[in-house]
Amino acid sequence: MVLTIYAPFFASSKRAVVTLVEKGVEFETVNVDLLKGEQNQPEYIAIQPFGKIPALVDGDYKIFESRAIMRYIAEKYRSQGPDLLGKTIEERGQVEQWLDVEATSYHPPLLALTLNIVFAPLMGFPADEKVIKESEEKLGEVLDVYEAQLSKNEYLAGDFVSLADLAHLPFTEYLVGAIGKAYMIKDRKHVSAWWDKISNRAAWKEVSEKYALPV
């Protein structure tokens, strides 16, 4: 049974897609046009009742939320590709910890920057400069913690690449690209080295090229 991932072109969905590619899992994709409201159509709501993206269908099994999908893929296909969950309970704990850090501390200010700098102009809305300034400050504080952590380990959870690292890829690509704030990564020696390693992984290069949005 081939897995189906919905809305692969969007950043949050790419967390799931890059995990599938890293693990060498065969999958198919279904586009969801958010501007046309396809996420609110009954057939999609039956899969994702909140009308959000992404969602994954595996036979009769359905799962949504990008990080939950990542965990599901990494666990189900643990015997193939890189072990993205850690080999011990302690390593798994670190992976889960840094996944939560990404979701609760790193992603919110970066999402605010993405919405105000990248998408507000495209949608014809004014950017909120106060939010931009505050979000950059918050993200900088988080990255300072990352710098300290990455001075001790090659990757966030230890000396192995994990879901915790992969979860950062889609929106950090906005940060160093369309947002125009690459210095936030490059000015931190260990964060910069970490970003260079994870963003140059073959799986991410494939995903970012194949599922690139025109922004």
Side-chain angles (χ1 to χ4, degrees), residues 25-53:
V25 179
E26 184 180 357
F27 65 97
E28 61 185 17
T29 62
V30 176
N31 294 331
V32 179
D33 192 327
L34 303 187
L35 294 178
K36 292 181 178 178
E38 290 179 355
Q39 73 277 17
N40 297 315
Q41 294 301 308
E43 57 268 26
Y44 188 72
I45 293 295
I47 300 168
Q48 216 295 15
F50 297 102
K52 306 292 184 182
I53 58 168

Side-chain angles (χ1 to χ4, degrees), residues 47-181:
I47 300 168
Q48 216 295 15
F50 297 102
K52 306 292 184 182
I53 58 168
L56 179 87
V57 174
D58 183 6
D60 294 329
Y61 182 74
K62 304 176 182 67
I63 184 170
F64 53 86
E65 293 294 339
S66 62
R67 298 169 191 85
I69 296 171
M70 293 178 81
R71 291 176 171 100
Y72 173 73
I73 296 163
E75 194 70 69
K76 179 170 183 176
Y77 298 97
R78 193 160 194 165
S79 63
Q80 66 189 66
D83 188 338
L84 300 171
L85 295 169
K87 292 181 170 59
T88 66
I89 188 65
E90 291 81 8
E91 289 181 351
R92 177 65 179 267
Q94 288 297 303
V95 173
E96 295 294 343
Q97 170 184 280
W98 288 99
L99 268 171
D100 283 353
V101 170
E102 186 273 330
T104 61
S105 297
Y106 185 85
H107 183 66
L110 181 48
L111 178 61
L113 290 173
T114 304
L115 293 175
N116 276 277
I117 295 174
V118 180
F119 289 103
L122 293 174
M123 302 295 289
F125 299 123
D128 189 324
E129 295 299 332
K130 183 173 182 288
V131 169
I132 291 173
K133 182 176 184 296
E134 291 175 349
S135 298
E136 182 169 348
E137 290 172 355
K138 289 177 184 176
L139 185 59
E141 291 170 0
V142 175
L143 284 168
D144 287 342
V145 176
Y146 279 38
E147 180 68 6
Q149 174 69 3
L150 292 164
S151 72
K152 299 177 290 185
N153 302 305
E154 189 174 0
Y155 297 96
L156 285 171
D159 291 324
F160 61 98
V161 70
S162 74
L163 295 183
D165 305 295
L166 301 184
H168 289 77
L169 284 164
F171 280 90
T172 307
E173 184 153 281
Y174 275 133
L175 182 66
V176 302
I179 290 174
K181 295 185 182 291

Side-chain angles (χ1 to χ4, degrees), residues 1-18:
M1 183 70 67
V2 177
L3 280 67
T4 302
I5 186 79
Y6 287 76
F9 288 92
F10 293 91
S12 58
S13 303
K14 290 177 187 176
R15 294 191 186 99
V17 177
V18 73

